[in-house]
Amino acid sequence: MGLSQALSTAMSGLRATQAAISLVGSNVANAETPGYVRKSIIQSAGVTGDYGSSVLLHGVDRQLDQYLQAQLRTETSGAAYADIRSTFLQNLQNVYGNPAETGTIEDSFNKLLTAFQGLSTSPDSQSARIGAVSAAQTMAQTLNAATQGIQSLRANAEMGINDSIVTANNAMAQIAFINNQLQNNGKTDAATASLLDQRDQYITQLSSLMDIRTVVNDLNQVTVFTNSGVQLVGTEAAQLSFNPQGTMTPNTLYNSDPTKNNVGTITINFPHGGSYDLVSTNSIRSGKIAAYLELRDNTLVKAQAQIDQFAASMASALSDKTTAGTATPASALPQAGYDLDLTGLQSGNVIHVSYKDNTTGVTRNLSIVRVDDPSVLPLSNTATLDPNDEVLGIDFSGGMASVVSQLNAALGASDLQFSNPSGSTLRVLDDGAPNRSDVLAASVTTTMSSLTSGNPQLPLFTDNGGLFSGAITANGSQQTGLAGRISVNLGLLGDPSRTVVFSTSPLTPSGDTTRADFVLTQLQSGNYRYSPQTGIGTTGAPFTGTLTNFAKQFISQQGEAATAAKQLADGQSVVLNTLQKKVTDASGVNIDDEMAHLLALQNAYSANARVMSSIKQMYDTLIQAM
């Protein structure tokens, strides 16, 4: 090898060492920079003449484990999802409160029981009467406050979605911008490596918002998809849109039918036209956005349904009266059946008919529901809480003649016959001589509206001043949001004596305990069915129990859910932190290692410089000899 070749080789060594020292400086300077990946020189030996090997530089290498990075992004989505759910469920638990605390649903209900126990003991005591009404007011106000708390959490989730969409759009725009800067045919220099660091940060940020996967091409350009396969960004970014609704109420619910939906939904608008609903297609399954959607449209809706069901059951238990039908007169023979007095029947009230189909031997239970809004017909069998009944909604807006006509048209094949012998009486008969059917029982449940109806039933609670009867309208069930509207009957606020006096002719004696005993029994030991929409029980086997049982059930369920969510979030945090440490160990900057590397580079630089100095001396000697 000639001196010129030796000089060239030494110079290539100096250049490689200088480049490596520059990267060491960059690594040390960015040791604490978030998202920075340790860099090193990509170099190889090149042939110089017959004997020498120079150093060839090919670019900058990012010390990155792609598999660990993919795992980290997956766990980032999971941890963000778990953290949001845990935070919201802890806040929901605060809305319900701990059973031992005052001012909670359970505490208020227990005080209501205590107040009516006192009234049952001393019905002629004015303070006991006022105390019962006051306890009822506290109960209503507690349910009102719980509704406000739940809807506030739903509004926070809605705004969380909106903020996340803004962040996601910015991240996707930045990823597309960086993709378009990577035009070096796959080569990696220092500038490109820095761009890749920046892009990875935006991808990680996006992964905290939703579950994603990435594909990188030969030009180092990345395409980002949701795990469900929707492309979010390549060289161009899609745009996510969201229409937040702001104020949330119990009736503000998600529906996959756009004409019925009244909460914000997420739409992706593709760069070259076309759009896609990401919510109805369940395209986002993890990350913050998925957590917000699940809370807004499922978890918190069930929480509202629980307190609405509690309010409805409590109100109906006190105000609803079930009256058995009277056997039809002998003049109806050979047909037999019952006469039902529908006086006072309210929208949502139910007529119950039990009959036997003698052809099959099957006993059928029929629930005829009064409906005043025909747009909701027909009703499904889930309109009542009885898992074994057949539900038939009847429009009462046209009067009794129309009611009878609708019933005979709907049930004629069942060999039942309906008529209106007089006034508000509904008669139901079997088929008589053919004996294909037998009416076994019939009753009607009506909601008492008067405080002095002569019955112990007490309309203690109202729906914002109006009667609660479980009506079903085009706006949905009256039960939805009842906990936010429930209030004490204004007549009782003006005259607490009506907690005892249920008849004015004859006047109920001041010491009569009939009504107080009835209310106490209904609240304390009455057993009721509860809707599976509360997340407790199923359609086929709804939860049945006392009001206290139900309250304890849903309060403990929420407590358990909050605890489980906290444990999951803590577990996800441990997994995420472990992965982050692995990534940091593999890709982060270790100052001790860099300093040791710098010392080695200093020695290499000195050695290369010494070679060049020796070659210079050789050239000087050669020139002097000439």
Side-chain angles (χ1 to χ4, degrees):
M1 178 175 67
L3 291 178
S4 60
Q5 291 177 345
L7 181 61
S8 176
T9 298
M11 289 181 65
S12 71
L14 280 179
R15 285 192 295 269
T17 305
Q18 288 171 344
I21 290 174
S22 176
L23 283 184
V24 168
S26 176
N27 288 340
V28 172
N30 289 281
E32 300 299 326
T33 301
Y36 181 82
V37 176
R38 180 165 50 88
K39 313 293 190 303
S40 62
I41 289 293
I42 303 173
Q43 63 186 50
S44 64
V47 177
T48 304
D50 296 329
Y51 305 103
S53 295
S54 61
V55 180
L56 301 180
L57 300 180
H58 302 290
V60 176
D61 183 33
R62 301 168 71 229
Q63 302 298 305
L64 184 65
D65 187 321
Q66 300 287 348
Y67 176 73
L68 275 179
Q69 186 183 56
Q71 278 191 310
L72 180 62
R73 288 170 180 167
T74 298
E75 295 303 330
T76 296
S77 296
Y81 178 90
D83 182 63
I84 293 294
R85 284 197 77 249
S86 176
T87 299
F88 270 71
L89 289 179
Q90 291 296 326
N91 289 334
L92 178 59
Q93 183 65 16
N94 292 336
V95 169
Y96 283 167
N98 295 320
E101 296 177 350
T102 59
T104 64
I105 293 174
E106 194 169 353
D107 174 66
S108 297
F109 185 69
N110 288 335
K111 288 179 178 176
L112 180 63
L113 291 177
T114 301
F116 272 94
Q117 285 170 346
L119 183 63
S120 179
T121 301
S122 305
D124 54 350
S125 167
Q126 182 67 6
S127 63
R129 296 172 178 180
I130 293 173
V133 174
S134 176
Q137 273 190 301
T138 300
M139 181 75 258
Q141 291 165 358
T142 301
L143 291 171
N144 297 161
T147 294
Q148 292 173 1
I150 291 170
Q151 296 311 312
S152 176
L153 288 175
R154 291 187 70 220
N156 290 344
E158 180 93 338
M159 295 313 299
I161 298 170
N162 186 62
D163 293 344
S164 296
I165 294 302
V166 173
T167 303
N169 280 329
N170 176 68
M172 291 190 295
Q174 292 297 327
I175 293 168
F177 177 74
I178 294 172
N179 273 342
N180 287 310
Q181 289 184 292
L182 298 173
Q183 300 294 334
N184 57 351
N185 296 321
K187 294 181 180 178
T188 305
D189 56 14
T192 300
S194 179
L195 287 174
L196 293 176
D197 284 353
Q198 294 176 39
R199 189 182 69 187
D200 281 351
Q201 281 188 280
Y202 287 116
I203 294 174
T204 298
Q205 184 182 51
L206 190 60
S207 73
S208 71
L209 303 175
M210 64 185 80
D211 51 316
I212 60 171
R213 60 183 177 87
T214 60
V215 177
V216 181
N217 65 15
D218 293 337
L219 299 178
N220 272 326
Q221 295 170 322
V222 68
T223 303
V224 183
F225 302 86
T226 65
N227 276 338
S228 60
V230 180
Q231 182 173 327
L232 299 172
V233 59
T235 54
E236 294 179 293
Q239 185 78 12
L240 301 179
S241 62
F242 182 68
N243 52 329
Q245 299 303 299
T247 302
M248 284 284 175
T249 71
N251 295 98
T252 309
L253 301 172
Y254 174 77
N255 194 301
S256 57
D257 181 350
T259 63
K260 298 178 181 179
N261 180 52
N262 47 24
V263 295
T265 191
I266 304 170
T267 302
I268 183 169
N269 303 293
F270 298 107
H272 299 289
S275 60
Y276 191 72
D277 187 339
L278 295 178
V279 179
S280 64
T281 55
N282 193 32
S283 297
I284 302 176
R285 300 165 186 170
S286 189
K288 289 183 179 180
I289 295 176
Y292 286 132
L293 288 171
E294 195 274 338
L295 288 161
R296 184 197 69 179
D297 301 334
N298 185 14
T299 301
L300 296 175
V301 171
K302 283 184 179 178
Q304 182 66 52
Q306 289 169 352
I307 60 173
D308 285 343
Q309 178 68 79
F310 182 81
S313 297
M314 183 172 60
S316 296
L318 304 182
S319 63
D320 284 3
K321 178 185 178 183
T322 298
T323 305
T326 58
T328 52
S331 59
L333 294 174
Q335 292 176 292
Y338 294 90
D339 286 342
L340 297 163
D341 184 2
L342 303 190
T343 301
L345 189 75
Q346 307 290 334
S347 179
N349 285 168
V350 181
I351 302 164
H352 304 276
V353 176
S354 177
Y355 70 97
K356 184 177 181 181
D357 183 341
N358 292 325
T359 304
T360 61
V362 176
T363 297
R364 301 184 185 280
N365 298 311
L366 181 65
S367 293
I368 302 168
V369 181
R370 171 169 177 163
V371 173
D372 291 344
D373 183 351
S375 68
V376 303
L377 298 176
L379 298 181
S380 72
N381 283 340
T382 59
T384 69
L385 298 179
D386 186 346
N388 302 312
D389 69 346
E390 300 172 31
V391 176
L392 177 62
I394 296 295
D395 176 18
F396 272 66
S397 61
M400 286 299 293
S402 172
V403 168
V404 169
S405 177
Q406 292 175 68
L407 287 169
N408 285 325
L411 298 168
S414 302
D415 293 311
L416 297 181
Q417 180 182 326
F418 293 85
S419 61
N420 173 222
S422 64
S424 59
T425 298
L426 178 68
R427 176 171 291 175
V428 54
L429 297 170
D430 60 22
D431 61 339
N435 197 32
R436 289 189 296 268
S437 67
D438 288 323
V439 180
L440 304 178
S443 64
V444 57
T445 298
T446 55
T447 302
M448 296 290 103
S449 58
S450 172
L451 293 173
T452 54
S453 64
N455 298 291
Q457 282 75 18
L458 174 66
L460 175 60
F461 296 105
T462 63
D463 182 355
N464 203 22
L467 201 62
F468 174 74
S469 59
I472 301 172
T473 67
N475 294 325
S477 170
Q478 185 185 8
Q479 180 173 309
T480 302
L482 177 64
R485 305 187 305 269
I486 193 170
S487 59
V488 173
N489 194 312
L490 290 175
L492 287 170
L493 293 176
D495 185 3
S497 70
R498 298 309 188 200
T499 55
V500 174
V501 177
F502 60 87
S503 175
T504 56
S505 180
L507 182 65
T508 305
S510 62
D512 191 288
T513 64
T514 301
R515 174 165 276 180
D517 290 343
F518 170 80
V519 171
L520 186 59
T521 298
Q522 294 295 96
L523 293 178
Q524 196 168 44
S525 55
N527 277 284
Y528 313 101
R529 292 192 183 101
Y530 304 92
S531 171
Q533 292 181 351
T534 62
I536 300 172
T538 63
T539 302
F543 179 79
T544 303
T546 65
L547 288 165
T548 299
N549 292 152
F550 180 62
K552 288 182 176 179
Q553 185 74 14
F554 72 74
I555 291 172
S556 65
Q557 183 192 66
Q558 291 298 342
E560 291 168 3
T563 300
K566 179 67 166 61
Q567 291 173 343
L568 178 61
D570 290 344
Q572 283 288 138
S573 178
V574 170
V575 172
L576 182 62
N577 290 336
T578 300
L579 273 174
Q580 285 176 330
K581 185 177 186 307
K582 287 183 178 180
V583 170
T584 299
D585 290 344
S587 305
V589 176
N590 183 303
I591 296 297
D592 292 338
D593 290 345
E594 295 300 318
M595 291 300 97
H597 188 202
L598 180 61
L599 183 59
L601 291 173
Q602 287 177 319
N603 292 334
Y605 192 90
S606 298
N608 280 298
R610 178 59 181 161
V611 170
M612 293 182 67
S613 176
S614 297
I615 293 173
K616 177 180 180 299
Q617 291 176 3
M618 291 179 187
Y619 270 119
D620 290 343
T621 301
L622 180 61
I623 290 171
Q624 290 173 3
M626 296 174 61

